[in-house]
Amino acid sequence: MTRRTFVSAAAVPVSTLAAQPAPQIRTGDDVGNQKLVMIGAGSAMFTQGLIIDWIRRKYQGDWEIALVDINPVVLDATEKMVRRYMLSAEKPAKIVASLDRREVLPGATLVVTTIGVGSRRAWEQDVFIPRKYGIFQPVGDSVMAGGVSRSMRMIPPMLDIARDVHRICPQARFINYSNPMTAIVRAIRRETQANVTGLCIGTQQTLQYLARLADVPMANVTARWCGVNHLTWITEFRQDGVDLWPRLRTKVAQLRAKGVPVGRLGRSFSEAGGKPLRHEQEMTMPFSWELFDQFGAFPAVLDRHAMEFFPQRFPRGQYLGGTLGVDIYSFEAVIQSGDKIYERTISLAKGSGPIEDARLNATSGEHSQFMDILDSWTHDSRRWYSVNTQNNGAVSNLPAAGVLEIPAVARKQGMAPLPLGEAPSRVASITMHRIATAEATVEAAVTGDRKMFAEALIMDGVPDQTTADKLVEDLLKAHKEHLPQFA
């Protein structure tokens, strides 16, 4: 069978899809006067990263940054932390905080959502309850039982936020970082008139991973991709027009010959020396390369996320001699890390004076894209980013209403997805299923229909109706306070 590649529906230069290195940070730049409203500011990692990035930019315009969270304790700590950071700014932004977003949305030019309904305690239940039924997840925030459960909590309040944004500040640029990304963006596009764009840095990180593995600089690399958030298929990867897949296949073959488990799902820890995956082995991403062998395209965002889209391949979460989410990509470790970040936020809030320079030099995290995009909007720089948005024909053989993660150019008028033509048939078939599953999930979350909740679980890997029905009841009981639509 001949594999099909994207056939461009318009004359789009390949260079516009370049896997660009991060732009040089502009300092002393003028993006005009801005009012940024951060809804879900208690997401401490994102908030700290964005504020640090903002301070380093040294913007010349007048800024107001409004912090919104429904938890008064978390909001108070976040506000105090941000005010400490502002002591290091050459031109501090005006900082306000509110438990009610409607108080601060008037006049907003930028709105960012990072909410997590129920926070980490609810997220734990999304993963721990399915474990009782033999369903194991390393993430549980996007798909499978955990992602569907999270959607039931997240979609109704995100719809309320979107309606407020459209009503109060319709001209504001509206960016969502909250998961499950695909279901949230689809729900907002389906149920409201708000023009939301979803951002995730995962595809960019995967392109960087491939460049490192191929031992090539990012500067002259180009790529094409499409899919859904956390399962975005990179279909082309080139350097100066030369296809890099042969080089990567050779590199993977060399690693396999050395006994590193690249794409060998039958290998176990005992075959690898009886030890957990070392750094080199983990970087080889065995399951992602197995998918590449099968589909001829590489999945972003690598093993930890990608394997959740194929639960049938890992009965009871078994993978490389361990269990997903337990001793392979430990879910508990992720939760513990989040709790530590929260503790550090509380600690920073209790202090006084400027926060040490070491923190101001931190640049990692998903926040970095946001300020880059703002610069590209303001200066019409037309840099590309990987965005989650309604397809609307960008990929001609996938539903127009489906939400895809695809390349888009940030221009003065907003985000402009690039026309990509047809996706390869194998990629399209997998993506079509994910679009349909997201639609069922949105329908259940919006209507509060228990039968549709169970149907979404089955479509997302729960093996039978009996298990799905039991999961629905257990999850509804655990999250009752956050699910009024099911009352």
Side-chain angles (χ1 to χ4, degrees):
M1 179 183 292
T2 302
R3 284 183 178 140
R4 303 176 72 183
T5 58
F6 278 125
V7 180
S8 185
V12 180
V14 174
S15 60
T16 65
L17 300 173
Q20 311 151 105
Q24 292 293 317
I25 292 178
R26 295 173 181 265
T27 59
D29 198 8
D30 187 359
V31 296
N33 299 335
Q34 303 284 350
K35 181 178 182 180
L36 166 62
V37 178
M38 299 179 63
I39 301 175
S43 177
M45 178 180 291
F46 182 90
T47 299
Q48 287 189 72
L50 190 145
I51 294 299
I52 289 169
D53 203 17
W54 183 90
I55 290 172
R56 295 187 68 199
R57 300 284 177 143
K58 302 178 182 178
Y59 286 125
Q60 295 303 298
D62 292 327
W63 277 69
E64 178 178 341
I65 299 177
L67 309 171
V68 179
D69 203 284
I70 62 172
N71 185 319
V73 175
V74 171
L75 180 62
D76 180 67
T78 302
E79 180 186 5
K80 289 176 179 176
M81 175 191 70
V82 170
R83 290 188 182 281
R84 285 192 64 196
Y85 274 117
M86 282 297 156
L87 294 175
S88 300
E90 290 188 5
K91 188 176 182 181
K94 176 184 177 182
I95 303 299
V96 298
S98 177
L99 296 168
D100 184 350
R101 61 181 175 270
R102 289 166 294 189
E103 291 182 349
V104 295
L105 280 174
T109 57
L110 307 165
V111 178
V112 174
T113 47
T114 60
I115 72 169
V117 178
S119 193
R120 287 178 299 282
R121 302 292 77 84
W123 186 11
E124 286 175 329
Q125 296 307 305
D126 292 337
V127 172
F128 293 160
I129 290 174
R131 281 184 184 177
K132 296 189 301 181
Y133 299 93
I135 298 168
F136 292 84
Q137 296 193 243
V139 189
D141 70 354
S142 295
V143 294
M144 291 182 63
V148 174
S149 176
R150 186 184 183 96
S151 296
M152 300 304 115
R153 297 194 310 278
M154 291 290 294
I155 286 175
M158 283 297 302
L159 292 178
D160 289 341
I161 291 169
R163 292 184 181 108
D164 284 344
V165 170
H166 180 70
R167 179 176 58 86
I168 298 172
C169 50
Q171 301 307 312
R173 312 273 193 177
F174 182 13
I175 298 293
N176 173 63
Y177 278 89
S178 293
N179 286 317
M181 179 68 74
T182 303
I184 286 173
V185 175
R186 172 58 185 147
I188 291 174
R189 291 282 187 166
R190 178 182 125 167
E191 299 291 326
T192 81
Q193 295 178 289
N195 185 16
V196 67
T197 298
L199 289 183
C200 175
I201 204 170
T203 297
Q204 173 73 1
Q205 290 177 332
T206 303
L207 291 169
Q208 291 168 344
Y209 157 80
L210 290 172
R212 289 196 303 271
L213 197 61
D215 195 26
V216 297
M218 288 284 287
N220 298 321
V221 170
T222 60
R224 292 191 180 210
W225 63 90
C226 85
V228 295
N229 183 237
H230 295 157
L231 187 67
T232 304
W233 297 95
I234 299 169
T235 59
E236 293 185 15
F237 192 65
R238 300 174 181 272
Q239 182 189 31
D240 295 325
V242 177
D243 187 0
L244 288 173
W245 290 141
R247 177 186 293 204
L248 285 164
R249 286 190 177 96
T250 298
K251 181 66 175 289
V252 168
Q254 292 171 344
L255 289 167
R256 286 171 173 168
K258 289 167 55 179
V260 177
V262 182
R264 290 289 187 266
L265 297 181
R267 290 183 58 87
S268 66
F269 281 140
S270 60
E271 292 176 279
K275 298 178 181 179
L277 294 179
R278 297 184 298 275
H279 178 68
E280 180 191 37
Q281 294 170 322
E282 188 173 357
M283 282 300 292
T284 58
M285 298 296 159
F287 182 59
S288 296
W289 285 107
E290 188 82 3
L291 291 177
F292 179 77
D293 289 342
Q294 181 175 351
F295 292 96
F298 193 83
V301 188
L302 306 173
D303 280 16
R304 179 171 169 264
H305 278 292
M307 58 184 49
E308 290 197 329
F309 290 82
F310 300 88
Q312 298 87 350
R313 301 193 185 200
F314 309 103
R316 300 193 67 83
Q318 293 305 293
Y319 178 62
L320 289 176
T323 302
L324 292 173
V326 179
D327 48 4
I328 305 290
Y329 297 117
S330 168
F331 174 77
E332 282 85 344
V334 172
I335 293 294
Q336 290 172 9
S337 175
D339 287 339
K340 289 179 180 178
I341 292 171
Y342 172 74
E343 291 169 2
R344 287 198 293 270
T345 301
I346 298 298
S347 177
L348 287 171
K350 292 178 179 178
S352 60
I355 292 174
E356 65 272 17
D357 290 342
R359 285 188 175 273
L360 294 177
N361 290 328
T363 57
S364 62
E366 295 183 348
H367 59 87
S368 59
Q369 283 192 114
F370 181 74
M371 292 301 175
D372 294 342
I373 289 172
L374 174 60
D375 288 347
S376 192
W377 280 333
T378 303
H379 302 290
D380 206 20
S381 304
R382 306 200 171 208
R383 295 182 62 85
W384 68 258
Y385 296 90
S386 191
V387 306
N388 292 268
T389 190
Q390 194 160 289
N391 179 20
N392 287 338
V395 182
S396 59
N397 56 339
L398 289 173
V403 169
L404 300 179
E405 183 157 312
I406 50 180
V409 172
R411 54 182 186 162
K412 188 177 290 289
Q413 298 92 333
M415 304 301 292
L418 299 177
L420 296 170
E422 289 190 2
S425 57
R426 298 185 184 191
V427 167
S429 64
I430 294 295
T431 305
M432 188 79 74
H433 174 71
R434 299 318 313 181
I435 291 171
T437 303
E439 195 70 23
T441 299
V442 170
E443 179 69 12
V446 170
T447 64
D449 186 326
R450 294 178 183 228
K451 290 184 178 180
M452 185 56 69
F453 188 175
E455 188 64 29
L457 289 170
I458 292 171
M459 292 178 70
D460 224 328
V462 173
D464 57 77
Q465 187 72 54
T466 299
T467 302
D469 290 341
K470 289 180 179 178
L471 264 173
V472 166
E473 295 308 312
D474 287 356
L475 291 168
L476 290 179
K477 182 179 179 180
H479 299 306
K480 182 178 180 180
E481 65 177 306
H482 303 302
L483 301 174
Q485 75 270 38
F486 288 94

